[in-house]
DNA sequence: CTAAACTTAAGTAAATTGGTAAACTTTATG
DNA sequence: CATAAAGTTTACCAATTTACTTAAGTTTAG
């Protein structure tokens, strides 16, 4: 029921690259240091992000990583699924698989709903939103990416703090 | 990111007991057979449900299992957490632990929101609701426990089917 | 040609998952 | 009180996943 370190690192990495304003590619080594990711582990994650089409890598001296899409087009869900595969709260919710026990088990719809609620948040959160927030930083003060997302989703969740 | 079999079996078990109208306790063996749970595995899960205070067990011949609370007071979240411990989508969301890297990492609030959305569904779903649905069965036709829950949560999610 | 950078492929220790198995305790009932 | 029916406890296990580490490549700027 928990995000793996791989996926967490992938998110940090993507966010790190999205925050980079220069147009020169970022090296794994820099990212690893800045984001507290074991370099040798990151080096294993980067190719996965690439085969998922999220980043473009340049080999050789002076090489590095840059995004293939605009940060506003990259959602948290997309990053997580690139690393972990489809997000599913229960086995029967993967793809089109349904409960093998009953045509419609009463619990199924509930899990499906819980999952949709969760995915809605992860989908509405883009790298652009996250970068905006951390850069506006002290200015707006209370505006969090989560608050933005919460208002996007039509649900009046009250955020404490 | 997925429910374990233990927890899934625990839910099935609780639902099986809640659906039982007689006042005599149910045996593990019956439940295992009816719910397609390996008996030897269920026998390991039952004591956990008991120490969590969800069920009462009677030993010896003629013994079995019954609920300690009313089905309307037992939520899916409660059952899952009895087996798996606190539900958390990321390590830093367990209990009061916060991100060790930054006082407030921009992603944290997003995960927290996603988690609240998910938990709201699991909390609003009680055994009573699930039993109602499967027993009314063909009568109401379209009423699902999920639809009930969706309307409880103030969020107009449209359920297909 | 060489150092800087990504790539590929193993390997690995520890934890989790999904079970199985066996020995034990409790209790109704004959 | 003997016994069978039930839950309890403890231990074990194989397979998978997780989070890394290591090492031997390959590519490219300079
Ligand atoms: S069909 Fe998915 S929970 Fe039963
Ligand atoms: S503090 Fe929880 S995601 Fe960073």
């Amino acid at each position: 029921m928990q995000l793996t370190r791989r996926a967490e690192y992938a998110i940090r990495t993507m966010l790190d690259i999205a925050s980079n304003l220069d147009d020169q590619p970022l090296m794994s080594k820099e990212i690893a240091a800045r984001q507290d990711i074991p370099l040798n582990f990151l080096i294993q994650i980067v190719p996965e992000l690439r085969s998922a089409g999220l980043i473009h890598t340049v080999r050789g001296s002076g090489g590095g990583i840059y995004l293939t899409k605009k940060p506003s087009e990259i959602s948290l869900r997309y990053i997580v699924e690139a690393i972990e595969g489809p997000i599913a709260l229960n086995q029967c919710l993967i793809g089109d698989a349904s409960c093998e026990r009953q045509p419609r088990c009463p619990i199924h719809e509930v899990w499906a709903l819980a999952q949709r609620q969760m995915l809605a948040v992860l989908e509405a959160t883009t790298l652009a939103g996250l970068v905006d927030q951390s850069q506006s930083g002290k200015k707006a003060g209370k505006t969090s990416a989560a608050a933005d997302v919460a208002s996007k989703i039509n649900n009046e969740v009250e955020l404490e703090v």
Side-chain angles (χ1 to χ4, degrees), chain A residues 46-150:
Chain A
V46 166
E48 294 182 52
L49 289 174
R50 198 195 40 146
S51 26
L54 282 168
I55 57 177
H56 206 87
T57 55
V58 181
R59 294 162 70 136
S61 176
I65 308 169
Y66 52 91
L67 301 182
T68 46
K69 303 184 181 191
K70 283 184 288 186
S72 61
E73 289 169 351
I74 305 176
S75 68
L76 273 192
R77 174 180 183 174
Y78 195 28
I79 301 174
V80 172
E81 295 200 327
I83 298 296
E84 300 192 352
I87 294 175
L89 292 181
N90 200 351
Q91 288 188 352
C92 53
L93 291 171
I94 300 174
D96 52 353
S98 60
C99 198
E100 71 286 355
R101 298 184 52 255
Q102 288 172 288
R104 288 236 156 251
C105 113
I107 324 172
H108 191 87
E109 295 294 340
V110 175
W111 282 110
L113 175 59
Q115 181 171 310
R116 275 198 301 274
Q117 294 284 95
M118 180 184 106
L119 287 181
V121 174
L122 300 185
E123 229 157 57
T125 308
T126 68
L127 288 183
L130 292 167
V131 170
D132 272 7
Q133 181 209 346
S134 47
Q135 275 171 358
S136 66
K138 64 258 16 169
K139 194 195 64 179
K142 295 294 175 179
T143 27
S144 76
D148 275 2
V149 170

